[in-house]
């Protein structure tokens, strides 16, 4: 066994699970004792879901970077912490050992201090997938600043909304980022965002693409210059700031069913313990293994399973700057062979997209280093699961289908590689510490097996969301008020005869497009910003590659009759307001939307039309004007 808390058999899983339910405090205290604490906690858990108020390892003092870096230096100092593969296979890769990563984090933490960043300050990070992104994240954690990473695909407006919500006075960015054959001018997007955010005091800019940028005197500084200043100060050490177990570690914005993204807050200790524990157990990490998670650090998957979980476990983690299909659809497989990757963790959407290229891109690839495969972000269809199993894992690598959320911080329901069996399209079993419950719409528990319901969790786990930044009431109403005394996930779920869980998708107005969460209300708000739009309604529909596509029904009163151009204008508006990830796949112009007499849009009907199930519209008699539906059906695209 490689880690003291590593589960090594099915029986051990069952025992651990049992104990985690009967003695949760003892269970987590044992695991937490394998981390480095400046001061041990006074109480393992204090909680109520009413407020909610959840405190893990109360009174404990620590710094997560001492756990991710300092404590490994003695044994792993010369071992690779991060392997970075650039966008272009022609460019040189980089390897940072634990010692080198530590040095860079300490150095950049001093840069932050020199720029007056203090404990508790919010720092927005908007960068491409370069090692410095991980360095920036960890440097914030070292000095107790709260990072808020924003995915590079979000627009200036989205960034501004997040900066304002978090009142973030500091920004770290790059001149630009490479993604496939594209060059994205990140700093210029930041500049556009900052027009609305005069309160931002400092922008630190890393050179990556040499895209021309405007540097504003007094506000913008170059990363490299700032590092040089620290070097001339003789590269001072940067002792980690002592953090309370429940001090915030980061904010990560995510979509919900209302129009405004919410800042999910995770705190230091519980998040650290849970991400490391779940990383080791789900992937069955063995020291020396190379872990390749293809997500972007701008999403929770990257936070938990590129940065914190792996580094907490002293693992070797990969950061890939590029995309799976450039320069060709064999890019992942090339990387797997080049570094002899052991664990590959990716999204069903990527698998489906690569499947579409056939087996050609796999020619000449060995893939024989792989031992564990993983998926995350959306339900995986059986066809994709089998393709992944057969052609990538060669039927010898277990696939872990990991269900979790930004709010859960870490993997909640999943098989454990080689320990508990995987079943195509099932996340299978809860991790120790996770107590799922299925309820009906009134919140009544649905007991027994072979049943479906709304998925809730009835007991806290260490990395549960603590609050939504600046608006605790929103956290309560969104997650803890739908049903009494439980956390509501927003997902529907089936439990089979053997007790395995299969996630069936969102039961709220949240879409899952290519594994990314997008609220329909958010897209509608963006569409409605277009001058010619009177009203719109957005629903999801099955999409072969993305899982779900975005279908928009729009009442339009534009000045010109060129439908194609109008569609393009609306798409561009969404791109500007949210970002390219939220662009509708289909836009249908309609004269009216199906509404009830009380004025509520009947999305159920629109969803059926978008799905092409026109004969299953159900009862339309409560509609104000049932004739509207026929018009919409006729105009379906
Ligand atoms: O609907 C579930 C789906 O993704 C949602 C969470 O999205 P997000 O917070 O962006 O985090 C994604 C990465 C953890 C969930 O509510 N989801 C996530 N993983 C799975 C999944 N659906 C089915 N199977 C999964 N393995």
């Amino acid at each position: 066994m490689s880690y003291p808390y590593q589960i090594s058999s099915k029986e051990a899983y069952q025992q651990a699970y049992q104990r985690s339910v009967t003695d949760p405090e003892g269970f987590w205290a044992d695991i937490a004792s394998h981390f480095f604490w400046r001061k041990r906690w006074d109480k393992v858990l204090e909680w109520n879901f009413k407020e909610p108020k959840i405190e893990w390892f109360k009174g404990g003092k620590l710094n997560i970077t001492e756990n991710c870096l300092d404590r490994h230096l003695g044994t792993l100092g010369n071992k690779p912490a991060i392997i970075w593969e650039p966008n272009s296979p022609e460019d040189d890769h980089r390897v940072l050992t634990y010692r080198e990563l530590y040095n860079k984090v300490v150095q950049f933490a001093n840069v932050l201090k020199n720029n007056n960043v203090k404990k508790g300050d919010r720092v927005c990070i908007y960068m491409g997938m370069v090692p410095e992104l991980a360095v920036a994240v960890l440097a914030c954690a070292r000095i107790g600043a709260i990072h808020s990473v924003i995915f590079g695909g979000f627009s200036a407006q989205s960034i501004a909304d997040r900066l304002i919500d978090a009142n973030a006075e500091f920004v770290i960015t790059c001149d630009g980022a490479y993604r496939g054959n594209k060059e994205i001018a990140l700093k210029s997007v930041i500049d556009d965002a900052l027009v609305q955010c005069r309160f931002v005091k400092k922008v630190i800019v890393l050179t990556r693409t040499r895209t021309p940028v405007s540097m504003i005197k007094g506000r913008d500084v170059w990363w490299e210059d700032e590092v040089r200043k620290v070097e001339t100060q003789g590269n001072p050490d940067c002792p980690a700031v002592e953090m309370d177990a429940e001090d915030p570690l980061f904010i990560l914005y995510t979509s919900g069913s209302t129009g405004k993204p919410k800042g999910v807050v995770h705190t230091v200790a519980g998040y650290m313990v849970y991400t490391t524990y779940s990383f080791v157990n789900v992937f069955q990490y063995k020291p020396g293994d190379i872990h390749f998670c293809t997500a972007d650090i701008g999403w929770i998957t990257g936070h938990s399973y590129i940065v914190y979980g792996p580094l907490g476990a002293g693992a070797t983690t990969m950061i890939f700057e590029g995309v799976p299909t450039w320069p060709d659809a064999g890019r992942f497989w090339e990387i797997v062979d080049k570094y002899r990757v052991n664990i590959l963790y990716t999204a069903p959407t990527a698998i489906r997209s690569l499947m579409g290229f056939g087996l050609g891109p796999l020619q000449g690839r060995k893939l024989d280093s792989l031992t564990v495969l993983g998926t995350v972000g959306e339900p995986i269809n059986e066809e994709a699961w089998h393709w992944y199993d057969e052609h990538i894992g060669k039927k010898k690598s277990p696939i872990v289908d990991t269900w979790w959320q930004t709010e859960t911080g870490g993997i909640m329901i999943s098989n454990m590689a080689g320990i508990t069996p995987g079943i195509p399209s099932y996340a299978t079993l809860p991790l120790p510490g996770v107590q799922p419950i299925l309820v009906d719409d009134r919140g009544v528990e649905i007991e027994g097996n072979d049943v479906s319901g709304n998925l809730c969790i009835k007991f806290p786990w260490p990395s549960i969301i603590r609050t939504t930044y600046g608006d605790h009431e929103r956290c309560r109403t969104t997650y803890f008020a739908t049903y009494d005394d439980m956390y509501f996930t927003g997902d529907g779920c089936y439990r089979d005869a053997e007790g395995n869980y299969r996630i069936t998708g969102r039961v709220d107005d949240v879409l899952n497009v290519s594994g990314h969460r997008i609220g329909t209300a958010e897209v509608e708000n963006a569409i409605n910003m277009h001058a010619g739009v009177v009203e719109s309604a957005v629903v999801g529909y099955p999409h072969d590659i993305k899982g779900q596509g975005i279908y928009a029904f729009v009442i339009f009163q534009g000045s010109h009759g060129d439908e194609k151009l109008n569609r393009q204008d609306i798409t561009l508006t969404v791109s500007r307001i949210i970002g390219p990830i939220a662009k509708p796949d289909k836009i249908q112009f309609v004269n009216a939307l199906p509404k009830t007499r009380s004025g509520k849009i009947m999305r159920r009907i629109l969803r059926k039309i978008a799905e092409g199930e026109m004969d299953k519209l159900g009862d339309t008699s409560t509609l104000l004007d049932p004739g509207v539906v026929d018009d919409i059906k006729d105009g379906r695209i």
Side-chain angles (χ1 to χ4, degrees):
M1 213 193 311
S2 324
Y3 294 85
Y5 45 81
Q6 190 153 15
I7 290 169
S8 57
S9 68
K10 197 170 169 192
E11 295 66 40
Y13 160 74
Q14 281 158 346
Q15 273 169 18
Y17 190 81
Q18 209 45 48
R19 175 156 187 239
S20 78
V21 174
T22 51
D23 175 22
E25 294 194 29
F27 176 80
W28 287 112
D30 281 356
I31 293 164
S33 66
H34 297 290
F35 290 78
F36 175 71
W37 299 81
R38 294 262 187 100
K39 172 185 170 286
R40 203 180 150 94
W41 55 89
D42 304 316
K43 184 142 185 19
V44 180
L45 172 64
E46 232 171 70
W47 70 288
N48 75 72
F49 276 170
K50 281 259 166 329
E51 298 177 58
K53 188 168 169 65
I54 302 147
E55 293 172 295
W56 280 95
F57 310 111
K58 198 173 172 177
K61 304 277 181 203
L62 74 164
N63 185 291
I64 196 168
T65 66
E66 286 187 330
N67 282 277
C68 289
L69 300 169
D70 308 43
R71 70 167 170 153
H72 300 316
L73 293 180
T75 46
L76 301 171
N78 297 324
K79 293 276 187 310
I82 291 177
I83 299 177
W84 177 71
E85 171 68 13
N87 180 56
S88 168
E90 317 268 287
D91 291 344
D92 292 338
H93 73 276
R94 285 166 63 187
V95 177
L96 294 181
T97 63
Y98 269 92
R99 167 70 58 191
E100 286 163 336
L101 180 61
Y102 167 84
N103 288 340
K104 283 193 182 300
V105 169
V106 162
Q107 198 174 47
F108 196 66
N110 280 318
V111 166
L112 293 177
K113 288 206 309 208
N114 284 348
N115 281 280
N116 224 5
V117 182
K118 301 208 163 51
K119 181 179 175 186
D121 286 345
R122 279 78 53 218
V123 178
C124 160
I125 304 178
Y126 185 69
M127 298 172 81
M129 284 284 281
V130 286
E132 287 79 5
L133 168 51
V135 169
V137 160
L138 293 163
C140 286
R142 186 134 190 115
I143 62 166
I146 304 169
H147 56 77
S148 168
V149 184
I150 302 180
F151 173 62
F154 279 111
S155 68
Q157 183 60 52
S158 290
I159 297 167
D161 291 344
R162 286 157 172 75
L163 285 170
I164 292 166
D165 189 78
N167 190 22
E169 294 179 334
F170 303 92
V171 175
I172 306 171
T173 189
C174 301
D175 49 356
Y178 296 120
R179 273 181 77 79
N181 59 6
K182 291 202 202 86
E183 196 177 304
I184 303 154
L186 295 180
K187 171 63 164 64
S188 147
V189 180
I190 288 289
D191 289 340
D192 289 345
L194 294 198
V195 172
Q196 296 179 51
C197 305
R198 302 273 170 192
F199 54 85
V200 169
K201 291 184 187 148
K202 270 277 148 34
V203 181
I204 303 178
V205 187
L206 177 84
T207 308
R208 169 63 186 128
T209 54
R210 301 200 170 273
T211 310
V213 295
S214 85
M215 297 290 281
I216 303 297
K217 198 178 293 161
R219 187 193 72 185
D220 301 352
V221 293
W222 288 106
W223 174 298
E224 295 78 4
D225 290 347
E226 295 304 297
V227 164
R228 225 164 286 129
K229 281 186 205 156
V230 170
E231 280 168 351
T232 57
Q233 291 162 353
N235 261 335
D237 188 17
C238 180
V241 168
E242 186 169 286
M243 303 289 282
D244 194 87
E246 282 296 335
D247 277 337
L249 174 63
F250 65 84
I251 306 172
L252 187 57
Y253 283 87
T254 189
S255 292
S257 39
T258 68
K260 192 170 163 266
K262 34 182 193 268
V264 171
V265 175
H266 284 289
T267 54
V268 177
Y271 178 82
M272 170 187 80
V273 170
Y274 195 81
T275 50
T276 305
Y277 175 79
S278 53
F279 169 74
V280 163
N281 281 300
V282 170
F283 301 104
Q284 287 294 310
Y285 187 83
K286 293 188 304 305
D289 277 354
I290 309 234
H291 173 74
F292 178 19
C293 167
T294 71
D296 193 287
I297 294 177
W299 307 109
I300 191 68
T301 307
H303 281 62
S304 301
Y305 299 110
I306 295 179
V307 182
Y308 287 113
L311 297 179
T316 300
T317 181
M318 291 208 50
I319 296 182
F320 173 42
E321 185 183 37
V323 296
T325 49
W326 188 84
D328 58 55
R331 190 72 171 109
F332 277 178
W333 322 131
E334 178 194 352
I335 295 173
V336 167
D337 278 1
K338 177 171 172 188
Y339 299 102
R340 302 209 44 81
V341 168
N342 305 100
I343 304 167
L344 176 67
Y345 189 32
T346 193
T349 188
I351 299 168
R352 286 192 298 266
S353 137
L354 295 174
M355 258 169 83
F357 290 88
L359 298 179
L362 288 163
Q363 292 264 305
R365 300 294 173 204
K366 289 205 195 76
L367 308 183
D368 58 342
S369 54
L370 289 172
T371 54
V372 174
L373 304 178
T375 72
V376 60
E378 51 177 319
I380 180 164
N381 50 311
E382 290 201 27
E383 195 192 354
W385 193 98
H386 285 295
W387 188 86
Y388 200 30
D389 182 39
E390 195 169 318
H391 299 292
I392 309 306
K394 317 281 185 201
K395 294 202 164 203
K396 64 168 181 54
S397 303
I399 299 176
V400 289
D401 178 347
T402 64
W403 173 84
W404 56 296
Q405 311 178 296
T406 305
E407 296 86 345
T408 70
I411 297 168
M412 299 286 283
I413 304 183
S414 171
N415 50 316
M416 292 185 178
I419 303 290
T420 56
I423 308 169
S425 83
Y426 279 74
T428 72
L429 299 172
L431 261 64
V434 176
Q435 300 188 32
I437 170 171
L438 300 184
V439 298
D440 67 16
D441 287 337
R442 289 165 303 143
V444 177
E445 177 165 11
I446 303 170
E447 288 178 86
N449 285 343
D450 191 17
V451 289
S452 293
N454 299 318
L455 177 62
C456 296
I457 314 288
K458 64 181 178 193
F459 194 84
W461 62 99
S463 61
I464 186 174
I465 178 175
R466 298 305 198 272
T467 189
T468 43
Y469 192 81
D471 189 353
H472 193 61
E473 179 58 11
R474 186 159 181 214
C475 173
R476 190 187 70 80
T477 50
T478 313
Y479 306 106
F480 299 93
T482 316
Y483 307 115
D484 272 352
D485 260 337
M486 42 188 128
Y487 165 84
F488 177 43
T489 65
D491 280 321
C493 183
Y494 167 69
R495 185 167 53 219
D496 77 1
E498 274 74 48
N500 292 297
Y501 291 85
R502 177 178 200 261
I503 309 301
T504 47
R506 302 289 303 194
V507 294
D508 52 10
D509 289 323
V510 172
L511 306 179
N512 192 326
V513 180
S514 301
H516 300 148
R517 250 161 83 168
I518 300 173
T520 53
E522 225 178 307
V523 184
E524 286 164 7
N525 289 351
I527 292 175
N528 296 349
M529 297 282 277
H530 185 285
V533 171
V534 179
E535 198 178 2
S536 66
V538 164
V539 296
Y541 71 98
H543 187 289
D544 283 350
I545 293 182
K546 298 180 179 181
Q548 268 188 311
I550 302 180
Y551 196 122
F553 298 89
V554 179
I555 305 176
F556 193 81
Q557 283 179 352
S559 50
H560 58 76
D562 184 339
E563 280 212 353
K564 189 167 166 228
L565 193 57
N566 288 338
R567 277 200 188 90
Q568 287 172 343
D569 287 353
I570 291 174
T571 307
L572 189 66
T573 309
V574 175
S575 246
R576 279 245 192 271
I577 303 294
I578 307 178
I581 49 170
K583 284 197 286 200
D585 299 276
K586 291 184 181 180
I587 299 174
Q588 179 181 345
F589 293 112
V590 298
N591 294 319
L593 293 166
K595 288 191 178 171
T596 60
R597 285 187 188 86
S598 59
K600 222 175 136 234
I601 296 174
M602 289 197 55
R603 290 165 184 286
R604 173 177 59 79
I605 293 176
L606 293 175
R607 222 174 279 130
K608 287 288 173 210
I609 295 174
E611 286 167 4
E613 300 194 327
M614 319 267 239
D615 49 343
K616 293 187 190 146
L617 298 189
D619 182 13
T620 55
S621 63
T622 54
L623 285 178
L624 187 62
D625 175 8
V628 166
V629 175
D630 292 327
D631 279 354
I632 300 180
K633 272 159 65 174
D634 291 344
R636 181 177 179 273
I637 38 177

